[in-house]
Amino acid sequence: MESHKNNLSVLSRRELLSRRRAAAARLGDVEQVLSGALTGQVRRCGKPGCRCADGEPHGPYFYFSPRPAGRGRARYALAGVVRRYLRRGEQAEAVLAEISAINAELLARRELG
Ligand SMILES: [Zn+2]
């Protein structure tokens, strides 16, 4: 974190604005984002003679828990789609953090406006 801050502090205002513009361009489409956790669970149904009794459980079944916690419980989820949206959400958050760090540097220089 400290090295990241130092890294920005050596850049000129022009370089900071250029980097900020490039980061904003990388943000791209932010419609397909999700924040939360995807968890997979395996189950044993308990029926005698089922394959799960021999150690091959059912599933995994995937559940998505939104963050911040949304209405209702974790939902059965389409794991592939949810993973893709979570990945996009993490990328968008990383870019926003980068832009925020640049703006904090500009603020420290009294050049944010
Ligand atoms: Zn079973």
Side-chain angles (χ1 to χ4, degrees):
M1 205 63 192
E2 194 62 29
S3 64
H4 186 57
K5 179 174 175 277
N6 290 342
N7 188 26
L8 289 179
S9 68
V10 300
L11 297 180
S12 70
R13 173 182 165 78
R14 179 185 289 270
E15 287 167 332
L16 286 173
L17 295 181
S18 170
R19 185 177 287 206
R20 187 174 70 176
R21 196 172 308 114
R26 285 209 318 279
L27 201 53
D29 176 13
V30 290
E31 289 191 20
Q32 298 186 348
V33 299
L34 268 175
S35 291
L38 183 70
T39 53
Q41 291 178 345
V42 295
R43 295 254 172 82
R44 289 179 210 288
C45 66
K47 287 175 190 155
C50 182
R51 64 184 172 92
C52 71
D54 297 328
E56 195 187 333
H58 303 280
Y61 301 104
F62 291 96
Y63 296 85
F64 174 70
S65 307
R67 192 194 70 220
R71 212 156 54 88
R73 301 166 297 141
R75 290 160 207 147
Y76 182 66
L78 298 166
V81 173
V82 170
R83 279 199 195 94
R84 177 158 57 82
Y85 273 59
L86 284 171
R87 198 159 50 239
R88 286 287 296 125
E90 287 166 8
Q91 288 166 349
E93 284 176 18
V95 171
L96 288 176
E98 183 180 341
I99 292 172
S100 181
I102 291 169
N103 287 335
E105 175 62 27
L106 290 168
L107 178 65
R109 300 179 188 186
R110 304 247 188 277
E111 290 178 351
L112 187 68

